[in-house]
Amino acid sequence: MAATRLLEDVLAAEPVEVGRKAPIAAHVRAGLDQRLRALRAHEAGTRVGEDPEELHQMRVSVRRMRAMLRSARPFLDREESEPLRAELGWLGRALGPVRDLDVLLERLRAESADLPESERGAAERLISGLDGDYLRARDDMLAALDSDRYDELLERLARATRELPGRDSGADAAAQLRKLVRREFRKLGKAVGALPAEPADAELHALRIDGKRLRYTAELAEPLLGAPVKRLIKATKGFQDVLGEHQDACVAEERIRALLDGLGPRPDASIAFAAGRLVAREEFRKADRRARWPESWEALSSAGDAV
């Protein structure tokens, strides 16, 4: 895109810094400034598509901006912040399918790389069924990045780094942020407590999303609350990682089965065998992460109690 003057000025200026006693809205503006810079830094690489990490970092920037606006809603002018958060959601959805396929393709090709040589070709023929989906997803993503809507979002983000209005109560910002972190922690604890003895895959995935919200809220609070929140962020990341690996295994298993089904009622026997080997590996990973997530929750719970 042709950068607007405002966007150019924001990116050329020194990063926004705020003092510890600044209102929460000021901390949000500084966070948006930081993540807008990261988004733009990774945009060119995302467009080229040679390094999947570029898209990953661009998507992370979008997610963190959305999460920051969500966490700080009580202290922001929602007429300004909520439409901005909605547009970031649109951008996240445009980036998501390509990133998800990057992860899936890398995973399946790594898994098939150590199969016996006689099975690797069959596995690759199966996995190549995703190539068309990937190309279509990239076309859709690039169309979004080339759109006027994306240009307008960047303009709004640039303005928000300087002008996003707040609704601060005048209370101590650190105390307010601690309340936000504790609220998200309690929500996560309540969700864990409500799980059955054998949670469904979807329930564990929902738990991961709750953990992500806690983590991003804690990241907003870390500059003011220091070491206890830093430990909470680390523990929450470990919790997310275990549940994220479980979800990745669920998705991979589902897609392998769908690819095999797409080959008709009588697929090539070698492809069917390779698919079975890959499914078995994903099932093992699912079982392993199911066994491990309660331990990661205990570590997170201990860190949360100290905030």
Side-chain angles (χ1 to χ4, degrees):
M1 68 163 284
T4 66
R5 179 64 180 271
L6 174 59
L7 180 61
E8 289 177 342
D9 289 347
V10 166
L11 297 177
E14 291 296 315
V16 173
E17 294 185 4
V18 294
R20 289 179 59 84
K21 295 185 178 181
I24 290 175
H27 287 276
V28 172
R29 289 192 290 270
L32 291 174
D33 179 83
Q34 177 186 354
R35 286 161 185 123
L36 173 60
R37 293 170 188 272
L39 185 150
R40 286 291 282 176
H42 294 287
E43 182 185 327
T46 294
R47 289 176 178 273
V48 172
E50 293 179 354
D51 182 358
E53 185 64 16
E54 295 287 340
L55 170 56
H56 174 54
Q57 292 302 325
M58 188 175 182
R59 190 185 185 195
V60 166
S61 297
V62 173
R63 282 180 165 178
R64 287 182 171 172
M65 284 190 280
R66 286 197 74 225
M68 187 185 314
L69 292 169
R70 177 188 176 276
S71 298
R73 274 186 299 190
F75 310 103
L76 300 174
D77 181 339
R78 295 191 188 186
E79 291 186 3
E80 294 287 337
S81 64
E82 287 298 285
L84 181 59
R85 191 166 73 94
E87 283 302 280
L88 284 165
W90 162 78
L91 179 57
R93 290 189 295 275
L95 301 176
V98 181
R99 174 58 187 166
D100 292 344
L101 283 164
D102 275 335
V103 171
L104 180 61
L105 285 165
E106 181 181 8
R107 181 187 188 92
L108 294 181
R109 286 185 167 131
E111 285 296 331
S112 62
D114 65 350
L115 291 175
E117 184 176 355
S118 60
E119 298 173 23
R120 286 200 296 270
E124 180 55 36
R125 291 198 298 277
L126 177 74
I127 296 166
S128 66
L130 294 170
D131 290 343
D133 292 345
Y134 183 79
L135 291 174
R136 286 188 291 274
R138 270 198 59 82
D139 285 346
D140 291 344
M141 179 189 74
L142 292 173
L145 295 179
D146 287 336
S147 69
D148 291 342
R149 186 173 181 177
Y150 179 62
D151 291 355
E152 291 165 4
L153 173 56
L154 291 178
E155 175 81 1
R156 292 172 68 176
L157 285 169
R159 187 176 301 109
T161 67
R162 300 299 187 265
E163 301 175 4
L164 184 66
R167 298 173 54 208
D168 292 286
S169 65
D172 178 68
Q176 292 174 324
L177 287 170
R178 182 174 282 107
K179 287 181 181 179
L180 290 179
V181 173
R182 287 176 173 170
R183 183 183 68 185
E184 294 297 336
F185 174 64
R186 286 193 299 271
K187 285 182 180 178
L188 178 58
K190 185 176 180 180
V192 170
L195 288 176
E198 292 294 331
D201 292 339
E203 289 173 316
L204 291 180
H205 180 49
L207 207 62
R208 179 195 179 201
I209 294 171
D210 289 339
K212 189 178 299 183
R213 289 171 175 168
L214 170 60
R215 179 184 169 190
Y216 289 156
T217 302
E219 287 178 347
L220 176 62
E222 183 189 1
L224 292 184
L225 301 184
V229 170
K230 189 172 185 178
R231 288 191 290 271
L232 175 61
I233 292 169
K234 182 178 179 181
T236 306
K237 185 178 185 301
F239 179 75
Q240 283 182 256
D241 286 347
V242 173
L243 291 178
E245 289 164 8
H246 176 272
Q247 177 64 12
D248 287 347
C250 291
V251 170
E253 179 186 351
E254 182 180 337
R255 294 302 293 267
I256 293 166
R257 293 184 187 278
L259 286 170
L260 188 60
D261 288 345
L263 297 178
R266 291 189 174 183
D268 182 282
S270 63
I271 294 178
F273 185 78
R277 291 282 292 267
L278 293 173
V279 164
R281 292 184 177 193
E282 299 303 342
E283 288 178 335
F284 175 83
R285 280 187 173 78
K286 282 172 59 177
D288 178 72
R289 274 43 173 194
R290 273 184 168 274
R292 288 170 48 190
W293 82 262
E295 181 181 351
S296 69
W297 163 246
E298 288 180 10
L300 193 164
S301 182
S302 177
D305 288 339
V307 174

